[in-house]
Each structure stands twice: as structure tokens, then as C-alpha cells.
């Protein structure tokens, strides 16, 4: 007996036909996804036309088509809307359009260019739409909203005007595979996952994400249905969170990352953390040898300062500290205060290279402690003072 395809009604005439990837544990060869993820696609059925908004990861095409078949004949899809060209959302476009032989691919001008390059969609089957363009499905109108760099240059939103349902692809997403589709069903576990997702995907483009948020707010959606994770029947919940993450005030919080080889840097880390805490500022230490990148990234979203500790290895920071610096330059958190501590055996170098790495972030180095050999009591007192100096700078700035 065939297993029935699970389809969920999001709003009248709008159906979730996505796929849950329960077993995926890493995304982009970088991002931990301990609860898997989903590839959400939505079938919008109008009186005269039918549109499939986004598809799914390449390996899940058959499941997508089976779900579409539960609602309508896939061969009669009129439009395949590509909000975003990344393969987890657009990878099944060739399979869908080979079944829906008369379907037109709808995307931004840049999206059409990418669809032709990546998925070999013929030019004659593509329709490029500008910001504000509409598509009539009979009793449903799709409005397209340009949202470049959230997080690729071709991205756009699709808004179903009559039901006020916003389909924003990656914006407002979360990596979570769940049998429960809606945010109110998932509960309090959702926002921390959404924050980690924002940190790793959207934080490098915070200004563009804030601009896209303004466009979403102007639409006043009743439902937000992203392409990863749950659908928001309470859209204010995620939009308020994005308001905070993109441009809200930073918290009285310090992310303290360090790596240690023989314990010296760890002792300095403990001393610096105690100095920060003594000033009433929250400190969150991460040992880079055992860090979960999604947790670290999420804490970077609203931290006011970042403190890095590393021994000198071959004239520079330990490779794990170097990786952390590269991550900071990639994710571009809003914190503008920093500090460094570390130790070396015969010659330094980690401090100078760290300063150079932080320059593109326009981060002010509040203080540094770079010692030769194991820390003495005086060195530990200096590390405590470093922590106090960072905390005072945060409190003074606020």
C-alpha cells in the first residue's frame, strides 16, 4: 500500500507540499543542524491558474511531486516561482518543469539568469519580474517583492494578496524538521533555532535583512511561510525578533572565545571572565576546541563585545583561534568592542595578527594581555582587569 503524501493547508487555496529532512546534520558543510531541516514549497491554487512557489532539494523531487499530486495534476502547473536560486529550494526545478511542460519559471531578472545557468531552464520558459509586479491566478494575486542579498543577489518574496500570506524563502527561516508545521505548535523551542539560523545565514547581511524586514512589515502579513522550518500563524513573533536581531540594542553581554594548549590561556580566560562578571555584565565563554558553531553564532547576534584568547603558535594565533577570526569576518556581528589575551613560549605574534584581523570589522581593541610563559598572580590580576575594562566600556557606552 502506498504511503499517503502529507499535505497541509496553510490558508484557503495555499498548501504546504514541502519535505522534512529528518537526518541532515550539517548544512553548507559548516552549519550544525541537530534537528534536521525542512525544504518548504507551497502550491497556490487559483480559479484559473496554479503556481508552485519554490521547490525542494534535488534528492526529494519525487516526494514533492507526489504531494502536489494530492492537490492538483503536476502537469497542469502554470507557474514555478523561484524566490531564491539556491539548490535546497530550486534544485528540483528541472524535474518539476519536465513534468509541467507548459509551466513558466518566474523569478527576478537576476534569478532568471541564475536559473538558466544552474538549472538549464530555457529562456523562452522564463518570466522576469520587477519589484511590485503581480501575477493573476484568477481569485488569487501573487505580488513579487524584490529582496536582494537575503541572502543571494536574486532573492525575492512572493505575497498572496487575498490571504495576506508572505512566502519569503530563507528570511525568517529555521533549521528544524518537525511533524508540526506551525509556530504555535512548536512552541518555545523555535526562536532559539531561528536566532541561530539568522546568525549563520542572515547576520552577514544585517542591513539588507533590516530593509527586507521593513518590506515585510509594510505588507502586514497574516501568515509568514518561510522555506525552512515552521510557518508563522503569529507573524509578529518572528518579525519582532528580527527587529531586535538586525538593529535592536545590543545586550550587556560578552562572548569570550579561547583555545588553550597547556592550560595557560584557559587560566587567563577564567580570570578575564571573572572580571567581566564582577562588573555585572554577562559573559559566555566558548572553548574553541569543543564549540558548537550555531550556539556561538547565535550569541554573537546581540553581544556588545568579543574577547579572544589564544596562545601563539608558529608566530600567530592557534589555528582554531584563526578560524574564529575568519568566522567573525564572515558573519560580521554588530559588536564593535574587542579584547585579546594569550601566552607564548619564546616569541609572540598572536596579538599583532589578531589586531590586523579585526581591522576590517572596525572593532576597537579595548585591552590586551599577552604574556610569556605560564601566568603569574600578577598576570591573572591583569586578565581580571582586562575583563573589567571591557565590561566598563560596555556599561559606559550604554
Amino acid at each position: 500500500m502506498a504511503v499517503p503524501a502529507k499535505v497541509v493547508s496553510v490558508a484557503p487555496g495555499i498548501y504546504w507540499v514541502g519535505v522534512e529532512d529528518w537526518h541532515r546534520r550539517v548544512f553548507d558543510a559548516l552549519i550544525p543542524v541537530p534537528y534536521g531541516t525542512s525544504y518548504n514549497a507551497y502550491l497556490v491554487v487559483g480559479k484559473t491558474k496554479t503556481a508552485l512557489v519554490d521547490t525542494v532539494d534535488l534528492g526529494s523531487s519525487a516526494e514533492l511531486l507526489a504531494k502536489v499530486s494530492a492537490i492538483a495534476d503536476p502537469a497542469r502547473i502554470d507557474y514555478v516561482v523561484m524566490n531564491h536560486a539556491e539548490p535546497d529550494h530550486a534544485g528540483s526545478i528541472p524535474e518539476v518543469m519536465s513534468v509541467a511542460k507548459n509551466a513558466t519559471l518566474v523569478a527576478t531578472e537576476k534569478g532568471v539568469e541564475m536559473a538558466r545557468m544552474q538549472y538549464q531552464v530555457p529562456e523562452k520558459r522564463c518570466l522576469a519580474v520587477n519589484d511590485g509586479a503581480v501575477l493573476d491566478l484568477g481569485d488569487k494575486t501573487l505580488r513579487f517583492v524584490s529582496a536582494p542579498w537575503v541572502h543571494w543577489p536574486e532573492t525575492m518574496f512572493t505575497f498572496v494578496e487575498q490571504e495576506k500570506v508572505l512566502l519569503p524563502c530563507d528570511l525568517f527561516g529555521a533549521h528544524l524538521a518537525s511533524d508540526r508545521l506551525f509556530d504555535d505548535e512548536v512552541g518555545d523551542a523555535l526562536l532559539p533555532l531561528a536566532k541561530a539560523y539568522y546568525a549563520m545565514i542572515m547576520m552577514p547581511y544585517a542591513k539588507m535583512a533590516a530593509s527586507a524586514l521593513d518590506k515585510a512589515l509594510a505588507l502586514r502579513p497574516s501568515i509568514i511561510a518561510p522555506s525552512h522550518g515552521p510557518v508563522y500563524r503569529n507573524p509578529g513573533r518572528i518579525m519582532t525578533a528580527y527587529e531586535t536581531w538586525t538593529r535592536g540594542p545590543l545586550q550587556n553581554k560578552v562572548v569570550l572565545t579561547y583555545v588553550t594548549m597547556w592550560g595557560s590561556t584557559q587560566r587567563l580566560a577564567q580570570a578575564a571572565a571573572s572580571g567581566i562578571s564582577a562588573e555585572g555584565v554577562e559573559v559566555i565563554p566558548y572553548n574553541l576546541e569543543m564549540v558548537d558553531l550555531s550556539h556561538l553564532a547565535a550569541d554573537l547576534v546581540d553581544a556588545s563585545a568579543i574577547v579572544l584568547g589564544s596562545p601563539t603558535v608558529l608566530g600567530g594565533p592557534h589555528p582554531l583561534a584563526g578560524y574564529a577570526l575568519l568566522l567573525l569576518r564572515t558573519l560580521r556581528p554588530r559588536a564593535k568592542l574587542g579584547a585579546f589575551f594569550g601566552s607564548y613560549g619564546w616569541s609572540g605574534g598572536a596579538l599583532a595578527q589578531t589586531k590586523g584581523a579585526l581591522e576590517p570589522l572596525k572593532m576597537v581593541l579595548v585591552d590586551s594581555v599577552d604574556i610569556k610563559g605560564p601566568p603569574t598572580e600578577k598576570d591573572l590580576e591583569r586578565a581580571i582587569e582586562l575583563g573589567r575594562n571591557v565590561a566598563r566600556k560596555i556599561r559606559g557606552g550604554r
Side-chain angles (χ1 to χ4, degrees):
M1 183 181 72
V3 176
K6 179 183 176 180
V7 173
V8 181
S9 175
V10 173
I14 304 173
Y15 304 91
W16 175 86
V17 290
V19 172
E20 304 287 351
D21 192 341
W22 297 93
H23 305 297
R24 189 163 189 169
R25 290 295 176 266
V26 179
F27 208 88
D28 290 341
L30 174 69
I31 304 166
V33 286
Y35 305 106
T37 192
S38 61
Y39 316 115
N40 298 337
Y42 302 94
L43 191 69
V44 184
V45 181
K47 275 189 177 180
T48 59
K49 302 286 185 180
T50 299
L52 178 65
V53 182
D54 293 318
T55 65
V56 297
D57 198 52
L58 176 60
S60 302
S61 305
E63 187 174 347
L64 168 68
L65 290 168
K67 291 185 175 186
V68 170
S69 297
I71 303 299
D73 182 358
R76 303 193 67 174
I77 292 173
D78 297 286
Y79 302 105
V80 177
V81 178
M82 189 187 78
N83 280 333
H84 176 31
E86 200 167 5
D88 52 327
H89 308 298
S92 292
I93 282 176
E95 284 74 13
V96 171
M97 296 194 72
S98 69
V99 172
K101 297 186 183 300
N102 295 316
T104 298
L105 181 108
V106 182
T108 63
E109 185 175 345
K110 185 69 175 177
V112 166
E113 177 187 327
M114 296 179 77
R116 293 182 62 200
M117 175 188 68
Q118 294 198 188
Y119 307 113
Q120 293 76 54
V121 181
E123 183 178 7
K124 64 182 179 180
R125 297 190 67 183
C126 295
L127 173 64
V129 291
N130 297 321
D131 187 36
V134 296
L135 201 59
D136 183 14
L137 305 183
D139 60 340
K140 297 195 187 305
T141 304
L142 305 184
R143 180 175 295 277
F144 304 109
V145 180
S146 178
W149 295 111
V150 285
H151 59 126
W152 279 18
E154 84 300 346
T155 51
M156 70 177 185
F157 300 161
T158 300
F159 185 61
V160 186
E161 292 191 338
Q162 287 78 6
E163 280 68 38
K164 299 184 75 64
V165 175
L166 179 63
L167 310 173
C169 203
D170 275 337
L171 196 74
F172 306 127
H175 282 309
L176 172 66
S178 174
D179 191 45
R180 298 174 178 179
L181 182 63
F182 297 101
D183 67 305
D184 50 294
E185 297 173 332
V186 174
D188 293 339
L190 176 54
L191 279 189
L193 293 173
K195 185 179 183 182
Y197 179 93
Y198 168 83
M200 296 296 290
I201 304 295
M202 297 295 166
M203 187 163 61
Y205 308 98
K207 289 183 179 179
M208 286 73 98
S211 176
L213 171 63
D214 287 337
K215 292 184 177 185
L217 288 165
L219 294 169
R220 302 180 66 181
S222 60
I223 292 174
I224 291 179
S227 287
H228 288 297
V231 170
Y232 288 88
R233 288 193 286 212
N234 306 289
R237 182 184 186 192
I238 189 64
M239 289 195 291
T240 299
Y242 263 67
E243 183 74 39
T244 299
W245 300 337
T246 58
R247 57 196 173 199
L250 297 176
Q251 302 300 306
N252 275 2
K253 182 170 80 174
V254 177
V255 171
L256 188 153
T257 64
Y258 71 95
V259 59
T260 192
M261 295 172 67
W262 300 106
S264 295
T265 308
Q266 184 170 21
R267 291 176 65 194
L268 292 171
Q270 292 167 342
S274 69
I276 295 166
S277 183
E279 293 291 329
V281 171
E282 181 184 12
V283 58
I284 304 178
Y286 282 101
N287 184 334
L288 293 170
E289 191 177 352
M290 54 192 73
V291 69
D292 182 313
L293 286 181
S294 62
H295 293 169
L296 171 59
D299 278 318
L300 290 174
V301 169
D302 49 16
S304 289
I306 301 163
V307 177
L308 178 69
S310 174
T312 292
V313 179
L314 300 176
H318 187 282
L320 289 181
Y323 179 67
L325 287 167
L326 179 60
L327 191 69
L328 289 176
R329 292 179 64 170
T330 300
L331 297 182
R332 287 180 275 178
R334 290 190 293 146
K336 295 304 175 192
L337 300 177
F340 174 87
F341 61 86
S343 65
Y344 58 91
W346 53 91
S347 66
L351 172 59
Q353 289 194 24
T354 297
K355 285 181 178 178
L358 293 179
E359 283 178 5
L361 296 175
K362 298 180 180 179
M363 189 173 287
V364 175
L365 203 67
V366 174
D367 200 353
S368 62
V369 174
D370 198 22
I371 64 169
K372 186 174 183 178
T376 64
E377 286 302 313
K378 186 176 181 180
D379 294 328
L380 294 175
E381 288 173 7
R382 272 289 295 117
I384 292 171
E385 189 62 20
L386 176 146
R388 286 185 178 275
N389 287 339
V390 171
R392 288 167 184 156
K393 193 75 172 177
I394 291 171
R395 293 174 60 197
R398 292 174 67 85

